Amino acid sequence: MKVIIRTFKLQLKHTFTISRRAYNSQPTLIVELQSEGYSGFGEATSNPYYNITVDSMRENLEKIIPIIKSITNETPEEFWNIADKLLRNDRFALCALDIAYNDLYARKKEKKLYELWGYSIDKNPKTDYTIGIDSIEKMVSKMEELPWPIYKIKLGTKEDIAIVAELRKHTNAIFRIDANCGWTVSETINNAIELKKLGVEFLEQPLKADDCEGHKEVFTHSVLPIIADESCIVEEDVVKCHNYFHGVNIKLVKCGGLTPARRMISEAKKLGMKTMVGCMTESSVGISAIAHLLPQLDYVDMDGTLLLAKDIATGVTISNGIVKYSELNGTGVRLIS
């Protein structure tokens, strides 16, 4: 099996701001695995919050290429177990490798990935579209630029309620709020009361990731459901979030790819928790991988490609929140020359 590693800088349409940083471009790493005339593609973006760069991912992947090249017809689960031992300290790189192998495996079987998994796509949830922190005027402008049925609104300012109240004047869409660890316990409980009146569906990660006592208090007293993000990184975190959150937002890059994400979704469902998968401003390579998990999800945030000024690949397409799959097998991705 041949391994090809590429890096890109994805330019965004607008400056994207959350409670802890702002950025205009997103570095990303693409892995291509070639075997028997087929190619599979995977992706992982850099992330300063987790101290991940494209250079560090490339370095870690290049060290294990001789081992990866020798792998032939292992199942994705068997492949992930091998790769996990080699990349235990870099789940972002593991994610890119795992997605690429899942894609390659399904293409060899001449099936789309969701078909290989036996999923029905009849009741797929719609994806939200994210509005980053900005002036109210610019946030309204971004909504008007792309009318959408569900908006995910980034908050973590001193004017959060006023922002949502103003945005509500311009749309009847469902609102979801992501504070990215930017609130206190009292802010969360009090904000939830006002935000519920403004048509907010749930709150995502209002408190710092390790504030267990705070999470429990918010879980007990919030009038809106609370979804874990930064508090739910890897598989063992799902059970830790039970009775502290109403659901989990799983990120492929943080948990190590599609293979562990499917196990996390299954575990969350067993515990009666809501399931969600989010993106990290990936190109169509990463976003198309997420799409094949849709039949197992209650919510999804896979708007990364919609935030880009220019994509580096083709794959799934999204219109008014509805995801349409590519005609190609696997994840349906093709890199743009």
Side-chain angles (χ1 to χ4, degrees), residues 137-204:
E137 292 76 16
K138 288 184 178 179
M139 293 175 80
V140 170
S141 176
K142 290 174 185 176
M143 289 199 314
E144 292 175 341
E145 180 182 288
L146 192 65
W148 213 251
I150 310 168
Y151 288 109
K152 180 175 179 177
I153 302 166
K154 296 285 189 177
L155 295 179
T157 76
K158 298 299 182 183
E159 306 296 330
D160 286 342
I161 301 302
I163 289 171
V164 179
E166 183 59 32
L167 297 184
R168 176 50 73 205
K169 297 176 183 177
H170 299 270
T171 180
N172 292 320
I174 295 169
F175 284 168
R176 297 167 178 171
I177 300 301
D178 186 359
N180 283 114
C181 311
W183 290 349
T184 64
V185 170
S186 60
E187 281 178 321
T188 302
I189 294 171
N190 293 330
N191 286 350
I193 296 170
E194 299 305 315
L195 291 171
K196 185 175 183 179
K197 299 174 187 176
L198 292 167
V200 169
E201 186 175 26
F202 62 72
L203 306 178
E204 184 178 334

Side-chain angles (χ1 to χ4, degrees), residues 18-19 60 104 137 194 224 265 278 331:
I18 63 175
S19 62
N60 289 332
L104 176 65
E137 292 76 16
E194 299 305 315
L224 287 174
I265 292 166
T331 61

